[in-house]
Amino acid sequence: MRVTGFTFNPFQENTWVLDNGTEAIVVDPGCSDRDEEERLRHWLKENGLVPRQLVLTHAHIDHVLGCGWMLETYGLLPEMHRADLPLLHMAERQGEMFGVRCPAPPEPQEFIGEGDKVRLGTHELEVLFVPGHAPGHIALWSREDRFVISGDVLFQRSIGRTDLPGGDMGTLLTSIRMKLFPLGDDVVVHCGHGPDTTIGAEKRLNPFLR
Ligand SMILES: [Zn+2]
Ligand SMILES: [Zn+2]
């Protein structure tokens, strides 16, 4: 499975596209204007990829800004953890807080949580429930390709903020230690903001976790 990242919107959010050469899963569509939408659309087309599924790690606005466009363009509704629905419903208000226009995102019809599998052809991602930054935060773990899409849980040398509604520092640290650290030191972490890292590097060097 190939993993490609795009950095979008004023929050410099990472949108991830997972593909198997013909089909794709889009995670956290952050595209917020015509240019960003075109960058993603053009790249998918150039690579002959049809997006089949849209998954949200959590429902902060920087991760959902492109949901309306994904529905219009590809007919996909977001799939997410049920516990982040209140945040999704607050998207317009979150936008006002940060001075970013965020039309109400489309309502999910499918919810995913711990132990569920997200499939792409013969590939499989496991859903990990990792609350703390947001109450319904999930991560996507590829056992076979040794990577995890961590959203805003774990960053290179940092962790997600916990001062937003539904955030809790103790819960976040537990999620990282109990759910992400056991995946293995070699595992690559594709973060919701900033560069990639590995579980091993963060165990050794992350000032919040040493
Ligand atoms: Zn967030
Ligand atoms: Zn974010």
Side-chain angles (χ1 to χ4, degrees):
M1 190 168 1
R2 176 171 56 166
V3 183
T4 308
F6 297 82
T7 303
F8 288 143
N9 73 51
F11 301 93
Q12 297 286 291
E13 179 264 359
N14 292 330
T15 293
W16 297 101
V17 180
L18 316 177
D19 79 85
N20 66 355
T22 53
E23 299 186 320
I25 298 172
V26 176
V27 183
D28 291 352
C31 26
S32 64
D33 61 25
R34 186 55 93 56
D35 274 5
E36 292 177 347
E37 291 163 0
E38 275 308 299
R39 256 171 69 201
L40 183 53
R41 197 189 61 79
H42 184 78
W43 185 87
L44 288 164
K45 192 161 172 247
E46 285 285 285
N47 286 272
L49 299 172
V50 181
R52 291 288 185 216
Q53 201 171 355
L54 172 59
V55 177
L56 305 180
T57 61
H58 66 300
H60 283 149
I61 48 161
D62 47 329
H63 300 254
V64 308
L65 280 163
C67 281
W69 175 77
M70 286 293 302
L71 177 60
E72 272 166 40
T73 311
Y74 300 109
L76 295 175
L77 286 169
E79 296 178 33
M80 57 179 277
H81 195 285
R82 195 180 288 277
D84 255 23
L85 257 191
L87 273 181
L88 190 79
H89 292 153
M90 282 173 53
E92 281 179 283
R93 205 144 26 103
Q94 292 185 58
E96 286 161 17
M97 264 169 63
F98 292 104
V100 175
R101 209 179 74 81
C102 183
E107 189 75 13
Q109 280 176 359
E110 305 271 347
F111 294 95
I112 50 178
E114 178 76 22
D116 286 341
K117 305 273 197 284
V118 171
R119 291 193 169 82
L120 180 67
T122 57
H123 301 280
E124 190 175 86
L125 296 147
E126 295 171 39
V127 176
L128 309 174
F129 181 50
V130 285
H133 169 73
H137 202 302
I138 59 161
L140 296 175
W141 154 232
S142 169
R143 195 180 289 275
E144 110 185 278
D145 291 313
R146 311 296 295 166
F147 70 81
V148 63
I149 308 283
S150 75
D152 288 357
V153 170
L154 181 62
F155 302 122
Q156 187 192 72
R157 312 300 180 262
S158 186
I159 59 174
R161 58 190 285 189
T162 53
D163 59 329
L164 296 168
D168 182 82
M169 179 62 87
T171 307
L172 178 63
L173 294 174
T174 302
S175 287
I176 296 170
R177 291 212 170 93
M178 303 301 285
K179 297 286 182 62
L180 298 186
F181 277 6
L183 301 180
D185 286 2
D186 62 309
V187 168
V188 172
V189 183
H190 298 296
C191 310
H193 300 266
D196 291 350
T197 183
T198 64
I199 295 291
E202 296 315 308
K203 273 189 196 166
R204 278 182 291 115
L205 301 169
N206 193 306
F208 297 92
L209 296 159
R210 273 187 303 177

